[in-house]
Amino acid sequence: KDLARDVIALINAYNIDKAHFIGHSMGGYICQQLALDFPERVRTITIMSAGPLGTTDDSEKPLTLDEKQTVQKTWDLFLDRNDGDTIERTVDSFIPIWKHLNGNADFDEVRARDYTIDLLMRTKHRVTAGNNHELLMNKLYETMDERKNIVFAIRVPVLIIYGELDPLVLPSRCQCLVKTISNAICEPIHEMGHMFFSNDIENKIISNIVKFLDQH
């Protein structure tokens, strides 16, 4: 809710009455919160690589053994990461994670390194990259049951994009969102994982978003 209010404060500063919002991963959850709390300020939302903001009947179904193993492998990579004492070494520690999250698409390591450097350097605060992000997402998951079926109330136009090989927010969880939001347009992307360090995948994402926005 705090981050959704921050977004509204930003568009207020630019004197924007209504906007199209696009959110990836945690940003996809923020988009859902915007649509629920500030529908009068939202033209559309595009949710990428994210599940429902609250639990649904479908999302409460247990994961399969293969799904559990996929998620565990992903979190093991995060937990086993050893950040170095320099930017370069810390960037090196992220590359195996980004490769894993990239699905089966071509992996642009230069793009991944530039992304990670930006992630590390954009703030003056010396906090391990991703700590606050991970803490916030953990808090979100812990309180999902308090918001069961809340996304049924979303009425703005919605585009849902997800990778068919996402090892973090599993395709089955993204499908829960598709089933919950009425009239949402869904665009699964073949070979895409959770991230998209790939020109081909990025172009597919852009094409889907542009087509959707042209309709609204």
Side-chain angles (χ1 to χ4, degrees), residues 10-43:
L10 283 169
I11 66 170
N12 286 344
Y14 283 99
N15 295 315
I16 297 171
D17 181 44
K18 298 181 73 172
H20 302 280
F21 297 100
I22 301 170
H24 171 257
S25 195
M26 186 170 73
Y29 296 100
I30 297 171
C31 279
Q32 294 173 61
Q33 194 73 57
L34 283 164
L36 290 166
D37 291 352
F38 305 97
E40 73 284 357
R41 308 298 302 275
V42 176
R43 292 189 182 277

Short mmCIF file of all heavy atoms in Angstrom, two decimals, residues 10-43:
data_model
loop_
_atom_site.label_atom_id
_atom_site.label_comp_id
_atom_site.label_asym_id
_atom_site.label_seq_id
_atom_site.Cartn_x
_atom_site.Cartn_y
_atom_site.Cartn_z
N LEU A 10 3.95 10.26 -7.33
CA LEU A 10 4.78 10.57 -8.50
C LEU A 10 3.94 11.13 -9.65
O LEU A 10 4.31 12.14 -10.26
CB LEU A 10 5.51 9.31 -8.97
CG LEU A 10 6.74 8.90 -8.16
CD1 LEU A 10 7.19 7.51 -8.57
CD2 LEU A 10 7.87 9.90 -8.36
N ILE A 11 2.81 10.49 -9.95
CA ILE A 11 2.02 11.02 -11.08
C ILE A 11 1.36 12.35 -10.70
O ILE A 11 1.13 13.20 -11.56
CB ILE A 11 0.99 10.00 -11.61
CG1 ILE A 11 -0.09 9.68 -10.59
CG2 ILE A 11 1.69 8.72 -12.07
CD1 ILE A 11 -1.24 8.85 -11.19
N ASN A 12 1.08 12.53 -9.41
CA ASN A 12 0.58 13.84 -8.97
C ASN A 12 1.62 14.92 -9.25
O ASN A 12 1.29 16.03 -9.70
CB ASN A 12 0.26 13.83 -7.48
CG ASN A 12 -1.02 13.07 -7.16
OD1 ASN A 12 -1.83 12.81 -8.04
ND2 ASN A 12 -1.20 12.73 -5.89
N ALA A 13 2.88 14.61 -8.99
CA ALA A 13 3.95 15.58 -9.19
C ALA A 13 4.08 15.98 -10.66
O ALA A 13 4.52 17.09 -10.97
CB ALA A 13 5.28 15.01 -8.68
N TYR A 14 3.69 15.09 -11.55
CA TYR A 14 3.75 15.38 -12.99
C TYR A 14 2.40 15.84 -13.53
O TYR A 14 2.22 15.94 -14.75
CB TYR A 14 4.22 14.14 -13.74
CG TYR A 14 5.71 13.90 -13.63
CD1 TYR A 14 6.21 12.98 -12.71
CD2 TYR A 14 6.62 14.59 -14.43
CE1 TYR A 14 7.58 12.75 -12.60
CE2 TYR A 14 7.98 14.37 -14.32
CZ TYR A 14 8.45 13.46 -13.41
OH TYR A 14 9.81 13.24 -13.29
N ASN A 15 1.45 16.07 -12.63
CA ASN A 15 0.11 16.53 -13.03
C ASN A 15 -0.56 15.57 -14.01
O ASN A 15 -1.22 15.98 -14.97
CB ASN A 15 0.19 17.93 -13.64
CG ASN A 15 0.63 18.97 -12.65
OD1 ASN A 15 0.16 18.99 -11.50
ND2 ASN A 15 1.56 19.83 -13.04
N ILE A 16 -0.37 14.28 -13.77
CA ILE A 16 -1.00 13.24 -14.59
C ILE A 16 -2.25 12.74 -13.87
O ILE A 16 -2.17 12.29 -12.73
CB ILE A 16 -0.03 12.07 -14.84
CG1 ILE A 16 1.19 12.57 -15.64
CG2 ILE A 16 -0.72 10.93 -15.58
CD1 ILE A 16 2.29 11.54 -15.76
N ASP A 17 -3.38 12.84 -14.55
CA ASP A 17 -4.65 12.45 -13.92
C ASP A 17 -4.82 10.93 -13.89
O ASP A 17 -5.11 10.34 -12.85
CB ASP A 17 -5.81 13.08 -14.68
CG ASP A 17 -7.16 12.73 -14.05
OD1 ASP A 17 -7.25 12.78 -12.81
OD2 ASP A 17 -8.09 12.38 -14.80
N LYS A 18 -4.62 10.29 -15.05
CA LYS A 18 -4.74 8.83 -15.14
C LYS A 18 -3.58 8.29 -15.97
O LYS A 18 -3.10 8.97 -16.88
CB LYS A 18 -6.07 8.43 -15.80
CG LYS A 18 -7.30 8.88 -15.04
CD LYS A 18 -8.58 8.43 -15.74
CE LYS A 18 -8.81 6.95 -15.59
NZ LYS A 18 -10.15 6.53 -16.11
N ALA A 19 -3.16 7.07 -15.67
CA ALA A 19 -2.00 6.53 -16.36
C ALA A 19 -2.15 5.03 -16.59
O ALA A 19 -2.96 4.36 -15.96
CB ALA A 19 -0.72 6.81 -15.55
N HIS A 20 -1.35 4.54 -17.54
CA HIS A 20 -1.17 3.10 -17.74
C HIS A 20 -0.01 2.66 -16.84
O HIS A 20 1.05 3.29 -16.86
CB HIS A 20 -0.83 2.79 -19.20
CG HIS A 20 -1.85 3.26 -20.17
ND1 HIS A 20 -3.02 2.57 -20.43
CD2 HIS A 20 -1.88 4.35 -20.98
CE1 HIS A 20 -3.73 3.21 -21.35
NE2 HIS A 20 -3.06 4.29 -21.70
N PHE A 21 -0.19 1.60 -16.10
CA PHE A 21 0.86 1.13 -15.19
C PHE A 21 1.32 -0.26 -15.61
O PHE A 21 0.50 -1.13 -15.89
CB PHE A 21 0.35 1.10 -13.75
CG PHE A 21 -0.03 2.45 -13.22
CD1 PHE A 21 -1.36 2.84 -13.18
CD2 PHE A 21 0.94 3.33 -12.75
CE1 PHE A 21 -1.71 4.10 -12.69
CE2 PHE A 21 0.60 4.58 -12.27
CZ PHE A 21 -0.73 4.96 -12.23
N ILE A 22 2.62 -0.43 -15.64
CA ILE A 22 3.23 -1.71 -16.00
C ILE A 22 4.15 -2.13 -14.86
O ILE A 22 5.04 -1.38 -14.47
CB ILE A 22 4.03 -1.60 -17.31
CG1 ILE A 22 3.13 -1.14 -18.46
CG2 ILE A 22 4.70 -2.95 -17.65
CD1 ILE A 22 3.89 -0.77 -19.73
N GLY A 23 3.94 -3.32 -14.32
CA GLY A 23 4.76 -3.78 -13.20
C GLY A 23 5.25 -5.19 -13.40
O GLY A 23 4.47 -6.08 -13.77
N HIS A 24 6.54 -5.39 -13.16
CA HIS A 24 7.14 -6.73 -13.27
C HIS A 24 7.44 -7.28 -11.88
O HIS A 24 7.95 -6.57 -11.01
CB HIS A 24 8.44 -6.64 -14.07
CG HIS A 24 9.24 -7.91 -14.05
ND1 HIS A 24 10.37 -8.08 -13.29
CD2 HIS A 24 9.05 -9.08 -14.71
CE1 HIS A 24 10.84 -9.30 -13.47
NE2 HIS A 24 10.07 -9.93 -14.33
N SER A 25 7.09 -8.55 -11.65
CA SER A 25 7.35 -9.22 -10.39
C SER A 25 6.69 -8.45 -9.23
O SER A 25 5.47 -8.30 -9.24
CB SER A 25 8.87 -9.38 -10.18
OG SER A 25 9.15 -10.32 -9.17
N MET A 26 7.45 -7.93 -8.27
CA MET A 26 6.82 -7.17 -7.20
C MET A 26 6.02 -6.00 -7.76
O MET A 26 4.97 -5.62 -7.21
CB MET A 26 7.85 -6.66 -6.20
CG MET A 26 7.22 -5.99 -4.98
SD MET A 26 8.41 -5.63 -3.67
CE MET A 26 9.28 -4.25 -4.40
N GLY A 27 6.49 -5.42 -8.86
CA GLY A 27 5.74 -4.34 -9.50
C GLY A 27 4.36 -4.79 -9.96
O GLY A 27 3.42 -3.98 -10.00
N GLY A 28 4.22 -6.08 -10.29
CA GLY A 28 2.91 -6.60 -10.67
C GLY A 28 1.93 -6.60 -9.51
O GLY A 28 0.73 -6.36 -9.69
N TYR A 29 2.44 -6.84 -8.31
CA TYR A 29 1.59 -6.78 -7.12
C TYR A 29 1.22 -5.32 -6.81
O TYR A 29 0.11 -5.02 -6.38
CB TYR A 29 2.30 -7.41 -5.92
CG TYR A 29 2.56 -8.89 -6.10
CD1 TYR A 29 3.81 -9.35 -6.49
CD2 TYR A 29 1.55 -9.82 -5.91
CE1 TYR A 29 4.06 -10.71 -6.67
CE2 TYR A 29 1.78 -11.19 -6.08
CZ TYR A 29 3.04 -11.62 -6.47
OH TYR A 29 3.27 -12.96 -6.65
N ILE A 30 2.17 -4.41 -7.03
CA ILE A 30 1.89 -2.99 -6.80
C ILE A 30 0.81 -2.52 -7.78
O ILE A 30 -0.09 -1.75 -7.41
CB ILE A 30 3.17 -2.14 -6.95
CG1 ILE A 30 4.19 -2.54 -5.88
CG2 ILE A 30 2.85 -0.65 -6.84
CD1 ILE A 30 5.56 -1.92 -6.07
N CYS A 31 0.87 -2.99 -9.03
CA CYS A 31 -0.16 -2.63 -10.00
C CYS A 31 -1.55 -3.07 -9.53
O CYS A 31 -2.53 -2.33 -9.68
CB CYS A 31 0.16 -3.26 -11.35
SG CYS A 31 1.38 -2.37 -12.34
N GLN A 32 -1.61 -4.27 -8.97
CA GLN A 32 -2.91 -4.75 -8.47
C GLN A 32 -3.41 -3.87 -7.33
O GLN A 32 -4.60 -3.54 -7.25
CB GLN A 32 -2.76 -6.20 -7.99
CG GLN A 32 -2.47 -7.18 -9.11
CD GLN A 32 -2.16 -8.57 -8.59
OE1 GLN A 32 -3.00 -9.21 -7.93
NE2 GLN A 32 -0.96 -9.08 -8.87
N GLN A 33 -2.49 -3.45 -6.45
CA GLN A 33 -2.87 -2.58 -5.34
C GLN A 33 -3.36 -1.23 -5.86
O GLN A 33 -4.33 -0.66 -5.34
CB GLN A 33 -1.68 -2.37 -4.40
CG GLN A 33 -2.05 -1.76 -3.06
CD GLN A 33 -2.77 -2.75 -2.16
OE1 GLN A 33 -2.26 -3.82 -1.85
NE2 GLN A 33 -3.98 -2.40 -1.73
N LEU A 34 -2.71 -0.71 -6.90
CA LEU A 34 -3.15 0.55 -7.51
C LEU A 34 -4.56 0.43 -8.06
O LEU A 34 -5.40 1.32 -7.86
CB LEU A 34 -2.19 0.95 -8.63
CG LEU A 34 -0.85 1.54 -8.23
CD1 LEU A 34 0.12 1.51 -9.40
CD2 LEU A 34 -1.03 2.97 -7.73
N ALA A 35 -4.82 -0.68 -8.75
CA ALA A 35 -6.15 -0.87 -9.35
C ALA A 35 -7.23 -0.99 -8.29
O ALA A 35 -8.39 -0.58 -8.52
CB ALA A 35 -6.13 -2.11 -10.24
N LEU A 36 -6.87 -1.52 -7.13
CA LEU A 36 -7.84 -1.67 -6.05
C LEU A 36 -8.05 -0.38 -5.26
O LEU A 36 -9.19 -0.03 -4.92
CB LEU A 36 -7.37 -2.78 -5.10
CG LEU A 36 -7.43 -4.20 -5.65
CD1 LEU A 36 -6.63 -5.15 -4.77
CD2 LEU A 36 -8.88 -4.67 -5.76
N ASP A 37 -6.95 0.32 -4.98
CA ASP A 37 -7.03 1.50 -4.11
C ASP A 37 -7.29 2.80 -4.87
O ASP A 37 -7.87 3.74 -4.31
CB ASP A 37 -5.73 1.66 -3.32
CG ASP A 37 -5.55 0.58 -2.27
OD1 ASP A 37 -6.50 -0.21 -2.06
OD2 ASP A 37 -4.46 0.50 -1.66
N PHE A 38 -6.85 2.87 -6.13
CA PHE A 38 -6.95 4.12 -6.90
C PHE A 38 -7.47 3.86 -8.31
O PHE A 38 -6.87 4.30 -9.30
CB PHE A 38 -5.58 4.80 -6.98
CG PHE A 38 -4.93 5.06 -5.65
CD1 PHE A 38 -3.98 4.18 -5.14
CD2 PHE A 38 -5.27 6.17 -4.90
CE1 PHE A 38 -3.37 4.40 -3.92
CE2 PHE A 38 -4.68 6.41 -3.67
CZ PHE A 38 -3.73 5.53 -3.17
N PRO A 39 -8.61 3.18 -8.47
CA PRO A 39 -9.09 2.84 -9.82
C PRO A 39 -9.35 4.07 -10.69
O PRO A 39 -9.23 4.00 -11.92
CB PRO A 39 -10.37 2.06 -9.55
CG PRO A 39 -10.80 2.47 -8.17
CD PRO A 39 -9.53 2.71 -7.42
N GLU A 40 -9.69 5.18 -10.03
CA GLU A 40 -9.97 6.41 -10.80
C GLU A 40 -8.71 7.00 -11.41
O GLU A 40 -8.80 7.88 -12.29
CB GLU A 40 -10.65 7.44 -9.89
CG GLU A 40 -9.76 8.11 -8.84
CD GLU A 40 -9.44 7.23 -7.63
OE1 GLU A 40 -9.95 6.10 -7.57
OE2 GLU A 40 -8.68 7.71 -6.75
N ARG A 41 -7.54 6.54 -10.99
CA ARG A 41 -6.27 7.06 -11.53
C ARG A 41 -5.63 6.10 -12.54
O ARG A 41 -4.55 6.37 -13.05
CB ARG A 41 -5.27 7.31 -10.38
CG ARG A 41 -5.79 8.15 -9.23
CD ARG A 41 -6.17 9.55 -9.65
NE ARG A 41 -5.08 10.28 -10.25
CZ ARG A 41 -4.15 10.97 -9.55
NH1 ARG A 41 -4.20 10.96 -8.22
NH2 ARG A 41 -3.21 11.64 -10.17
N VAL A 42 -6.30 4.97 -12.77
CA VAL A 42 -5.70 3.90 -13.57
C VAL A 42 -6.44 3.73 -14.89
O VAL A 42 -7.65 3.53 -14.92
CB VAL A 42 -5.75 2.56 -12.79
CG1 VAL A 42 -5.21 1.42 -13.66
CG2 VAL A 42 -4.95 2.67 -11.50
N ARG A 43 -5.68 3.83 -16.00
CA ARG A 43 -6.24 3.51 -17.32
C ARG A 43 -6.20 2.00 -17.54
O ARG A 43 -7.20 1.38 -17.88
CB ARG A 43 -5.48 4.23 -18.42
CG ARG A 43 -5.67 5.74 -18.41
CD ARG A 43 -5.07 6.38 -19.65
NE ARG A 43 -5.20 7.82 -19.62
CZ ARG A 43 -6.29 8.50 -19.99
NH1 ARG A 43 -7.33 7.83 -20.43
NH2 ARG A 43 -6.32 9.82 -19.92
#
